[in-house]
């Protein structure tokens, strides 16, 4: 029997991790239906399972991508926080009060409105060299980054909170090692070929054109992709995904072998399909215009968006 590749082992581990995490979440939710006398043993069992899952993640760091490792760590922390929260809710500490004739008044501190950065995005930001975010109705390239580090030969890219834009990430003498996409809507994204992974959390009503080693898509809806990928793409909590071949060479390309983590039946997943040839041809014909990043490419590019 042939040994698993690192990518296959990584995908299998992600499935196992997801199943165990969901089982633990169900047990946490089930806590409310148990009598108080059973809760200490119940909570201890949950804690042991979280610790066991954490050990499995540590062992898997030998073959899973660093991004997956970070996501597992974040989700483990979230499980721990949920456990502590429900423990506090269902087994509150006894409260003691002392009567006093005089009540001391404590001045209410001023509330400072500090913007909260979501945990997942903060994790991406720590790795991203090139940051493009909070944009609308424009053409974006690496030169529009918030960080002045595009002079590096190899960069990571984060696209966040962008609407109705044409995004061209290909640039001479710059190799992209990873692309993170979060909360992007109604955009055309041309990446060219990159060294590593494309990881998405929230992509809607958009077109994505990329060649990469690994592609993982979460919470994506109504997306057309031209794709060249050297491992099986993964989608989760996504639907209305159409995919066509990017780069007509004879190189290995798993663009049409998508694994849907929400569809474990033998039948084909209803959440994605191969793009029709007419649609594929339309996108291919516009590639040179998209790559140019000219002002004309904004209007023409947005005309390529999939129908809602």
């Amino acid at each position: 029997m042939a040994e698993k590749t690192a990518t296959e082992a990584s995908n299998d581990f992600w499935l196992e991790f997801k199943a165990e995490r969901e089982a633990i979440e169900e047990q946490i939710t089930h806590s409310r239906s148990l009598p108080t006398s059973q809760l200490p043993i119940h909570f201890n069992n949950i804690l042991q399972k979280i610790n066991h899952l954490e050990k499995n993640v540590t062992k898997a760091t030998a073959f899973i991508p660093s991004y997956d490792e970070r996501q597992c760590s974040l989700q483990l922390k979230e499980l721990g926080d949920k456990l502590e929260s429900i423990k506090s809710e269902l087994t509150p500490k006894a409260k003691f009060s002392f009567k006093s004739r005089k009540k001391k008044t404590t001045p209410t501190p001023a509330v400072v409105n500090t913007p909260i950065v979501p945990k997942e995005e903060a994790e991406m930001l720590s790795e991203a060299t090139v940051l493009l975010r909070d944009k609308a109705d424009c053409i974006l390239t690496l030169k529009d980054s918030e960080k002045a580090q595009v002079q590096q030969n190899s960069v990571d890219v984060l696209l966040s909170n962008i609407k109705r834009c044409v995004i061209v990430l290909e640039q001479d003498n710059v190799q992209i090692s990873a692309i993170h996409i979060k909360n992007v809507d109604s955009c055309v994204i041309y990446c060219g070929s990159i060294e590593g992974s494309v990881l998405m959390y929230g992509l809607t009503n958009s077109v994505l054109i990329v060649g990469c080693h690994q592609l993982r898509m979460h919470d994506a809806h109504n997306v057309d992709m031209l794709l060249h990928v050297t491992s099986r793409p993964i989608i989760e909590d996504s639907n209305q995904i159409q995919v066509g071949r990017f780069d007509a060479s004879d190189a290995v390309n798993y663009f049409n072998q998508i694994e849907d983590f929400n569809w474990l039946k033998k039948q084909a997943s209803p959440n994605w399909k191969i793009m029709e040839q007419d649609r594929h041809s339309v996108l291919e014909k516009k590639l040179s215009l998209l790559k140019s990043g000219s002002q004309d490419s904004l209007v023409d590019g947005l005309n390529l968006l999939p129908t809602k």
Side-chain angles (χ1 to χ4, degrees):
M1 188 175 180
E3 292 185 4
K4 291 182 180 180
T5 65
T7 300
E8 289 171 337
S10 173
N11 290 346
D12 288 347
F13 175 78
W14 184 256
L15 280 173
E16 293 169 4
F17 178 87
K18 181 173 180 285
E20 291 186 42
R21 185 203 71 212
E22 290 175 349
I24 293 172
E25 287 178 336
E26 287 179 7
Q27 285 190 306
I28 293 174
T29 302
H30 181 60
S31 302
R32 290 189 172 87
S33 64
L34 296 177
T36 305
S37 60
Q38 295 181 17
L39 289 177
I41 295 176
H42 176 70
F43 289 145
N44 186 56
N45 288 338
I46 293 175
L47 181 59
Q48 288 181 5
K49 290 183 178 180
I50 293 174
N51 290 339
H52 178 71
L53 189 54
E54 188 172 10
K55 289 179 182 178
N56 288 344
V57 172
T58 302
K59 293 177 182 177
T61 54
F63 56 84
I64 63 174
S66 58
Y67 179 83
D68 283 6
E69 181 184 347
R70 291 195 300 274
Q71 291 304 310
C72 288
S73 297
L74 286 170
Q75 291 180 29
L76 283 167
K77 183 180 183 304
E78 187 176 347
L79 283 177
D81 291 344
K82 286 181 178 179
L83 177 60
E84 289 303 314
S85 175
I86 201 161
K87 281 174 68 176
S88 299
E89 176 188 337
L90 299 181
T91 56
K93 295 179 181 179
K95 295 181 180 179
F96 298 92
S97 60
F98 299 90
K99 292 183 178 180
S100 175
R101 292 181 180 178
K102 295 182 180 180
K103 292 184 179 180
K104 294 183 179 180
T105 58
T106 304
T108 303
V111 177
V112 180
N113 294 322
T114 304
I116 299 173
V117 179
K119 288 189 292 184
E120 286 181 357
E121 183 164 332
E123 197 68 24
M124 293 178 188
L125 282 172
S126 66
E127 295 294 325
T129 304
V130 176
L131 175 59
L132 299 167
R133 65 177 176 182
D134 303 327
K135 301 289 185 180
D137 303 299
C138 62
I139 297 171
L140 294 173
T141 69
L142 294 183
K143 296 177 182 178
D144 298 305
S145 166
E146 292 184 13
K147 297 186 177 183
Q149 298 177 7
V150 187
Q151 295 87 352
Q152 297 183 19
N153 292 329
S154 182
V155 299
D156 286 0
V157 177
L158 169 61
L159 308 176
S160 177
N161 298 322
I162 301 176
K163 291 185 177 181
R164 299 180 304 278
C165 288
V166 171
I167 304 167
V168 182
L169 299 180
E170 190 175 61
Q171 181 175 313
D172 291 342
N173 302 319
V174 176
Q175 180 63 58
I176 298 174
S177 52
I179 297 173
H180 307 285
I181 298 173
K182 184 173 177 61
N183 297 335
V184 172
D185 177 55
S186 301
C187 289
V188 177
I189 308 170
Y190 179 82
C191 308
S193 294
I194 74 168
E195 292 178 337
S197 303
V198 179
L199 304 157
M200 288 165 269
Y201 280 86
L203 178 65
T204 55
N205 309 314
S206 295
V207 173
L208 174 68
I209 303 167
V210 65
C212 59
H213 171 62
Q214 183 185 52
L215 181 135
R216 191 164 274 173
M217 174 181 274
H218 303 262
D219 194 23
H221 309 280
N222 196 29
V223 177
D224 289 354
M225 296 190 293
L226 294 187
L227 184 61
H228 186 284
V229 58
T230 54
S231 63
R232 290 182 177 179
I234 292 171
I235 65 172
E236 186 173 18
D237 299 326
S238 302
N239 59 20
Q240 293 180 274
I241 308 300
Q242 288 195 108
V243 61
R245 177 188 290 272
F246 175 51
D247 178 11
S249 69
D250 294 329
V252 174
N253 188 355
Y254 291 96
F255 78 99
N256 58 352
Q257 298 186 39
I258 294 177
E259 294 187 19
D260 185 352
F261 278 11
N262 295 108
W263 189 262
L264 303 179
K265 300 178 182 179
K266 291 183 179 180
Q267 299 91 334
S269 166
N271 296 319
W272 71 275
K273 66 178 182 179
I274 301 297
M275 187 181 296
E276 294 182 1
Q277 185 58 46
D278 288 348
R279 173 63 170 162
H280 189 275
S281 298
V282 169
L283 292 177
E284 277 199 323
K285 286 178 182 177
K286 294 292 184 178
L287 283 182
S288 58
L289 178 62
L290 291 175
K291 288 191 287 185
S292 71
S294 66
Q295 197 58 41
D296 292 338
S297 66
L298 179 59
V299 176
D300 287 348
L302 295 183
N303 283 337
L304 295 175
L305 293 177
T307 305
K308 294 184 180 180

